[in-house]
Amino acid sequence: MSRTSLMPPPLPAAQASAWPELLRRRRMYGGILLVLFVVLMSSGFQLAQSRNAGGFWDGLPMIFAFPGEVLAEAWEKRARLPGLALAHLASLAETLNIAAVATLIGALAGGLLALLSTRGLARWPKAAGLFRRLTDLARAFPEIVIALILIYILGGGPVPAVVAIALHTAGALGKLFAEVAENADLKPHEGLTAVGASWVQRIWLGVLPQVAPNWLSYTLMRFEINLRASAILGFVGAGGIGYDLKIAMQWGQGRYDLVVAIFALLFLSIVLIDRLSDRLRLRLVKG
Protein backbone atom coordinates (compact mmCIF):
# COMPACT_ATOMS: atom_id res chain seq x y z
CA MET A 1 0.00 0.00 0.00
CA SER A 2 1.55 3.29 -1.04
CA ARG A 3 2.02 6.04 1.51
CA THR A 4 0.50 9.42 0.66
CA SER A 5 2.87 12.34 1.05
CA LEU A 6 1.88 15.29 3.19
CA MET A 7 4.20 17.62 1.29
CA PRO A 8 2.57 20.03 -1.23
CA PRO A 9 3.16 19.24 -4.91
CA PRO A 10 6.17 20.99 -6.45
CA LEU A 11 5.56 24.20 -8.39
CA PRO A 12 5.70 24.10 -12.18
CA ALA A 13 9.01 25.13 -13.71
CA ALA A 14 7.68 28.47 -15.00
CA GLN A 15 6.30 29.45 -11.57
CA ALA A 16 9.43 28.28 -9.78
CA SER A 17 11.62 30.45 -12.00
CA ALA A 18 9.36 33.49 -11.54
CA TRP A 19 9.17 33.18 -7.75
CA PRO A 20 12.57 34.80 -6.95
CA GLU A 21 11.71 37.78 -9.17
CA LEU A 22 8.31 38.17 -7.50
CA LEU A 23 9.92 37.97 -4.06
CA ARG A 24 12.51 40.58 -5.05
CA ARG A 25 9.79 42.97 -6.22
CA ARG A 26 7.82 42.57 -3.04
CA ARG A 27 10.88 43.32 -0.96
CA MET A 28 11.70 46.33 -3.12
CA TYR A 29 8.17 47.75 -2.85
CA GLY A 30 8.14 47.10 0.87
CA GLY A 31 11.43 48.93 1.28
CA ILE A 32 10.19 51.89 -0.77
CA LEU A 33 7.02 52.14 1.33
CA LEU A 34 9.05 51.98 4.53
CA VAL A 35 11.34 54.79 3.35
CA LEU A 36 8.35 56.92 2.35
CA PHE A 37 6.75 56.32 5.73
CA VAL A 38 9.89 57.36 7.61
CA VAL A 39 10.34 60.46 5.43
CA LEU A 40 6.72 61.54 5.87
CA MET A 41 6.83 60.98 9.62
CA SER A 42 10.08 62.89 10.09
CA SER A 43 9.02 65.77 7.83
CA GLY A 44 5.62 65.99 9.54
CA PHE A 45 7.28 66.06 12.96
CA GLN A 46 9.70 68.77 11.88
CA LEU A 47 6.84 70.87 10.47
CA ALA A 48 4.80 70.50 13.65
CA GLN A 49 7.89 71.30 15.76
CA SER A 50 8.58 74.48 13.77
CA ARG A 51 4.99 75.72 14.25
CA ASN A 52 4.70 74.71 17.88
CA ALA A 53 4.90 77.46 20.51
CA GLY A 54 7.31 75.38 22.59
CA GLY A 55 9.75 72.57 21.92
CA PHE A 56 8.44 69.01 22.08
CA TRP A 57 11.59 67.57 23.59
CA ASP A 58 11.91 70.48 26.04
CA GLY A 59 8.36 70.00 27.30
CA LEU A 60 8.42 66.20 27.38
CA PRO A 61 9.84 65.96 30.95
CA MET A 62 6.90 68.10 32.17
CA ILE A 63 4.24 65.81 30.73
CA PHE A 64 3.30 64.43 34.15
CA ALA A 65 3.63 67.72 36.03
CA PHE A 66 0.03 68.93 35.60
CA PRO A 67 -1.65 65.53 36.19
CA GLY A 68 0.52 65.08 39.27
CA GLU A 69 -0.55 68.46 40.62
CA VAL A 70 -4.22 67.68 39.98
CA LEU A 71 -4.08 64.26 41.61
CA ALA A 72 -2.10 65.54 44.60
CA GLU A 73 -4.69 68.20 45.37
CA ALA A 74 -7.56 65.77 44.82
CA TRP A 75 -5.96 63.28 47.22
CA GLU A 76 -5.74 65.94 49.92
CA LYS A 77 -9.48 66.65 49.47
CA ARG A 78 -10.52 63.07 48.75
CA ALA A 79 -13.31 63.16 51.33
CA ARG A 80 -15.18 65.71 49.17
CA LEU A 81 -15.04 63.67 45.94
CA PRO A 82 -18.24 61.59 46.41
CA GLY A 83 -20.30 64.69 47.20
CA LEU A 84 -18.91 66.59 44.22
CA ALA A 85 -19.66 63.65 41.94
CA LEU A 86 -23.26 63.41 43.17
CA ALA A 87 -23.74 67.15 42.64
CA HIS A 88 -22.99 66.73 38.93
CA LEU A 89 -25.29 63.79 38.23
CA ALA A 90 -27.75 66.15 36.56
CA SER A 91 -25.06 67.29 34.10
CA LEU A 92 -24.18 63.66 33.43
CA ALA A 93 -27.86 62.93 32.72
CA GLU A 94 -27.88 65.82 30.22
CA THR A 95 -24.83 64.36 28.48
CA LEU A 96 -26.48 60.93 28.36
CA ASN A 97 -29.64 62.48 26.89
CA ILE A 98 -27.63 64.28 24.22
CA ALA A 99 -25.88 61.05 23.25
CA ALA A 100 -29.07 58.97 23.30
CA VAL A 101 -31.21 61.37 21.24
CA ALA A 102 -28.41 62.00 18.75
CA THR A 103 -27.80 58.26 18.37
CA LEU A 104 -31.49 57.54 17.81
CA ILE A 105 -31.90 60.27 15.19
CA GLY A 106 -28.60 59.38 13.50
CA ALA A 107 -29.42 55.66 13.42
CA LEU A 108 -32.84 56.26 11.82
CA ALA A 109 -31.34 58.62 9.23
CA GLY A 110 -28.41 56.28 8.62
CA GLY A 111 -30.72 53.32 8.10
CA LEU A 112 -32.78 55.23 5.56
CA LEU A 113 -29.67 56.43 3.70
CA ALA A 114 -28.28 52.88 3.72
CA LEU A 115 -31.42 51.38 2.19
CA LEU A 116 -31.67 54.12 -0.43
CA SER A 117 -28.03 53.63 -1.46
CA THR A 118 -27.74 49.82 -1.40
CA ARG A 119 -27.55 48.02 -4.74
CA GLY A 120 -30.59 45.85 -5.35
CA LEU A 121 -32.60 47.47 -2.55
CA ALA A 122 -32.66 51.15 -3.47
CA ARG A 123 -36.07 52.71 -3.99
CA TRP A 124 -34.66 54.81 -6.82
CA PRO A 125 -31.64 52.91 -8.23
CA LYS A 126 -30.46 55.83 -10.37
CA ALA A 127 -30.23 58.04 -7.27
CA ALA A 128 -28.31 55.47 -5.18
CA GLY A 129 -25.01 57.20 -5.91
CA LEU A 130 -26.44 60.53 -4.71
CA PHE A 131 -27.47 59.03 -1.38
CA ARG A 132 -24.02 57.47 -1.02
CA ARG A 133 -22.45 60.90 -1.49
CA LEU A 134 -24.81 62.33 1.12
CA THR A 135 -23.60 59.65 3.52
CA ASP A 136 -19.98 60.55 2.76
CA LEU A 137 -20.72 64.24 3.27
CA ALA A 138 -22.44 63.66 6.60
CA ARG A 139 -19.40 61.93 8.08
CA ALA A 140 -16.78 64.10 6.39
CA PHE A 141 -16.91 66.86 9.03
CA PRO A 142 -16.07 66.16 12.70
CA GLU A 143 -18.76 66.74 15.28
CA ILE A 144 -16.87 69.60 16.89
CA VAL A 145 -16.70 71.55 13.61
CA ILE A 146 -20.46 71.19 13.04
CA ALA A 147 -21.15 72.08 16.68
CA LEU A 148 -19.05 75.26 16.51
CA ILE A 149 -20.95 76.43 13.44
CA LEU A 150 -24.33 75.65 15.04
CA ILE A 151 -23.37 77.30 18.33
CA TYR A 152 -22.53 80.45 16.40
CA ILE A 153 -25.97 80.31 14.74
CA LEU A 154 -28.19 78.91 17.52
CA GLY A 155 -26.23 79.79 20.64
CA GLY A 156 -24.85 77.47 23.31
CA GLY A 157 -26.81 74.52 24.63
CA PRO A 158 -27.57 70.86 23.96
CA VAL A 159 -29.42 71.40 20.64
CA PRO A 160 -26.25 72.13 18.58
CA ALA A 161 -24.60 69.09 20.15
CA VAL A 162 -27.53 66.82 19.28
CA VAL A 163 -27.65 68.03 15.67
CA ALA A 164 -23.87 67.80 15.21
CA ILE A 165 -23.59 64.29 16.65
CA ALA A 166 -26.71 63.09 14.82
CA LEU A 167 -25.36 64.27 11.45
CA HIS A 168 -22.02 62.54 11.93
CA THR A 169 -23.75 59.42 13.26
CA ALA A 170 -26.03 59.27 10.22
CA GLY A 171 -23.00 59.30 7.92
CA ALA A 172 -21.02 56.74 9.90
CA LEU A 173 -23.88 54.33 10.52
CA GLY A 174 -25.19 54.81 6.98
CA LYS A 175 -21.92 53.41 5.65
CA LEU A 176 -21.90 50.47 8.08
CA PHE A 177 -25.60 49.73 7.58
CA ALA A 178 -25.18 49.73 3.79
CA GLU A 179 -22.36 47.17 3.99
CA VAL A 180 -24.58 44.89 6.09
CA ALA A 181 -27.55 45.35 3.75
CA GLU A 182 -25.43 44.49 0.70
CA ASN A 183 -24.75 41.07 2.22
CA ALA A 184 -28.42 40.33 2.89
CA ASP A 185 -30.16 37.52 1.03
CA LEU A 186 -32.28 39.07 -1.73
CA LYS A 187 -34.53 36.04 -2.25
CA PRO A 188 -37.20 37.18 0.28
CA HIS A 189 -37.08 40.65 -1.28
CA GLU A 190 -37.52 39.21 -4.77
CA GLY A 191 -40.35 36.95 -3.62
CA LEU A 192 -42.22 39.88 -2.09
CA THR A 193 -41.67 41.84 -5.30
CA ALA A 194 -43.20 39.00 -7.29
CA VAL A 195 -46.42 39.06 -5.26
CA GLY A 196 -46.79 42.84 -5.65
CA ALA A 197 -45.53 44.09 -2.26
CA SER A 198 -44.57 47.76 -1.96
CA TRP A 199 -41.00 48.90 -1.38
CA VAL A 200 -41.69 49.55 2.31
CA GLN A 201 -43.22 46.09 2.73
CA ARG A 202 -40.29 44.44 0.95
CA ILE A 203 -37.81 46.21 3.22
CA TRP A 204 -39.83 45.67 6.41
CA LEU A 205 -40.52 41.97 5.86
CA GLY A 206 -37.66 40.78 3.65
CA VAL A 207 -34.59 42.82 4.64
CA LEU A 208 -34.89 44.26 8.14
CA PRO A 209 -35.24 40.86 9.90
CA GLN A 210 -31.89 39.87 8.40
CA VAL A 211 -29.95 43.06 9.16
CA ALA A 212 -31.56 44.09 12.47
CA PRO A 213 -29.08 42.29 14.82
CA ASN A 214 -26.03 43.82 13.18
CA TRP A 215 -27.69 47.22 12.84
CA LEU A 216 -28.57 47.25 16.54
CA SER A 217 -25.05 46.14 17.42
CA TYR A 218 -23.52 49.00 15.43
CA THR A 219 -26.00 51.45 16.98
CA LEU A 220 -25.00 50.43 20.51
CA MET A 221 -21.35 50.79 19.63
CA ARG A 222 -22.05 54.23 18.20
CA PHE A 223 -23.87 55.22 21.41
CA GLU A 224 -20.64 54.66 23.35
CA ILE A 225 -18.76 56.87 20.90
CA ASN A 226 -21.43 59.56 21.03
CA LEU A 227 -21.32 59.66 24.83
CA ARG A 228 -17.65 60.58 24.67
CA ALA A 229 -18.32 63.03 21.83
CA SER A 230 -21.09 64.78 23.79
CA ALA A 231 -18.72 65.22 26.74
CA ILE A 232 -16.06 66.71 24.44
CA LEU A 233 -18.56 69.09 22.83
CA GLY A 234 -19.28 70.48 26.28
CA PHE A 235 -15.86 72.17 26.09
CA VAL A 236 -17.14 74.38 23.24
CA GLY A 237 -20.34 75.38 25.02
CA ALA A 238 -22.69 72.54 24.06
CA GLY A 239 -23.76 71.84 27.63
CA GLY A 240 -23.60 68.69 29.69
CA ILE A 241 -20.89 67.45 31.98
CA GLY A 242 -18.18 68.47 29.53
CA TYR A 243 -19.06 72.13 30.12
CA ASP A 244 -18.79 71.66 33.90
CA LEU A 245 -15.41 70.02 33.41
CA LYS A 246 -14.22 72.94 31.30
CA ILE A 247 -15.26 75.48 33.94
CA ALA A 248 -13.63 73.45 36.71
CA MET A 249 -10.35 73.27 34.81
CA GLN A 250 -10.46 77.01 34.12
CA TRP A 251 -10.75 77.72 37.82
CA GLY A 252 -7.39 76.06 38.19
CA GLN A 253 -5.61 75.33 41.43
CA GLY A 254 -7.93 75.04 44.37
CA ARG A 255 -10.70 73.26 42.44
CA TYR A 256 -8.77 70.30 41.08
CA ASP A 257 -10.79 68.03 43.33
CA LEU A 258 -13.86 68.95 41.27
CA VAL A 259 -11.96 68.12 38.08
CA VAL A 260 -11.10 64.65 39.37
CA ALA A 261 -14.66 64.05 40.60
CA ILE A 262 -16.14 64.90 37.19
CA PHE A 263 -13.50 62.81 35.41
CA ALA A 264 -14.22 59.84 37.68
CA LEU A 265 -17.98 60.19 37.18
CA LEU A 266 -17.62 60.36 33.41
CA PHE A 267 -15.15 57.47 33.33
CA LEU A 268 -17.34 55.20 35.44
CA SER A 269 -20.42 55.94 33.33
CA ILE A 270 -18.54 55.22 30.10
CA VAL A 271 -17.20 51.93 31.50
CA LEU A 272 -20.67 50.90 32.71
CA ILE A 273 -22.32 51.68 29.38
CA ASP A 274 -19.50 49.96 27.52
CA ARG A 275 -19.95 46.76 29.52
CA LEU A 276 -23.76 46.80 29.15
CA SER A 277 -23.61 47.44 25.42
CA ASP A 278 -21.02 44.68 24.99
CA ARG A 279 -23.40 42.22 26.60
CA LEU A 280 -26.33 43.41 24.51
CA ARG A 281 -24.31 43.25 21.29
CA LEU A 282 -23.18 39.71 22.12
CA ARG A 283 -26.76 38.59 22.70
CA LEU A 284 -27.96 40.29 19.54
CA VAL A 285 -25.30 38.81 17.28
CA LYS A 286 -24.90 35.33 18.79
CA GLY A 287 -28.27 34.87 20.44
Side-chain angles (χ1 to χ4, degrees), residues 13-37:
Q15 294 184 13
S17 60
W19 174 252
E21 178 64 19
L22 179 61
L23 184 61
R24 186 187 65 83
R25 289 184 180 180
R26 291 181 60 182
R27 289 177 177 174
M28 180 182 67
Y29 294 150
I32 293 173
L33 290 176
L34 179 61
V35 170
L36 288 175
F37 175 77

Side-chain angles (χ1 to χ4, degrees), residues 33-89:
L33 290 176
L34 179 61
V35 170
L36 288 175
F37 175 77
V38 172
V39 170
L40 290 174
M41 286 292 293
S42 59
S43 60
F45 178 80
Q46 293 298 329
L47 179 61
Q49 180 78 350
S50 63
R51 297 185 177 183
N52 193 18
F56 176 79
W57 299 112
D58 296 334
L60 191 60
M62 301 296 295
I63 192 171
F64 296 109
F66 178 69
E69 182 181 353
V70 172
L71 292 176
E73 182 177 327
W75 179 253
E76 293 176 1
K77 303 176 181 179
R78 57 187 179 274
R80 300 178 53 189
L81 295 181
L84 293 173
L86 291 175
H88 287 81
L89 285 177

Side-chain angles (χ1 to χ4, degrees), residues 104-130:
L104 178 60
I105 297 173
L108 292 175
L112 182 60
L113 287 172
L115 293 173
L116 291 175
S117 61
T118 301
R119 303 176 187 89
L121 300 176
R123 178 66 177 84
W124 303 284
K126 293 183 178 180
L130 174 62

Side-chain angles (χ1 to χ4, degrees), residues 87 135 138 250:
T135 306
Q250 286 179 345

